[in-house]
Amino acid sequence: HVQLVESGGGSVQAGGSLRLGCAASGHSDSSYFMAWFRQAPGKEREGVAAIHLRGHFTRYADSVAGRFTLAQDNAKKTLYLQMNDLKPEDTAMYYCAADRDVNVPPSLVLDSRRYNYWGQGTQVTVS
């Protein structure tokens, strides 16, 4: 059973940076996709970025491409989301998600319905 714990949210001014972390446990191999999603009040959950844990595949939403970057620390089993040049529209609860790659077609890595394992979320507020 995969468990995910997010960290690193907070409040920042527009143009600033934050780094979110997602510590994963309970998975025995790297045949997983991990992804970040976000949900603002009154809006649907939106895929932000996804990566295959073997590192050969990443995808970013158009709204964050060039500003957000994924990074893995395999020793710590942690996925990071470096967020630069933050904008007020980036304000949301950010969630980490994971699932086995057999359950997540590459074309759907930013579709929240493909993921069964979720963290509790961390709030990001940009003013």
Side-chain angles (χ1 to χ4, degrees), residues 2 4 6 8-9 35 41 51 68 77 83 92 103-105 119:
V2 177
L4 304 171
E6 299 102 332
I51 188 169
F68 291 10
K77 293 189 176 181
M83 305 185 296
N103 295 327
V104 187

Side-chain angles (χ1 to χ4, degrees), residues 78-115:
T78 299
L79 178 67
Y80 296 102
L81 181 67
Q82 177 67 43
M83 305 185 296
N84 297 328
D85 190 23
L86 283 161
K87 304 176 180 181
E89 51 263 43
D90 295 317
T91 295
M93 184 72 78
Y94 282 71
Y95 297 92
C96 179
D99 213 315
R100 286 199 167 275
D101 54 12
V102 293
N103 295 327
V104 187
S107 61
L108 298 177
V109 292
L110 297 182
D111 185 341
S112 63
R113 295 168 295 181
R114 308 305 303 191
Y115 293 86

Side-chain angles (χ1 to χ4, degrees), residues 23-74:
S25 61
H27 62 289
S28 58
D29 58 61
S30 58
S31 300
Y32 281 79
F33 277 106
M34 289 185 69
W36 286 97
F37 292 82
R38 66 186 182 186
Q39 189 166 20
K43 294 189 177 181
E44 292 187 355
R45 191 165 293 191
E46 173 191 19
V48 174
I51 188 169
H52 193 283
L53 290 188
R54 291 183 184 151
H56 61 280
F57 181 97
T58 57
R59 179 160 291 170
Y60 296 91
D62 290 344
S63 57
V64 306
R67 299 188 298 123
F68 291 10
T69 304
L70 290 167
Q72 289 176 260
D73 184 329
N74 292 328

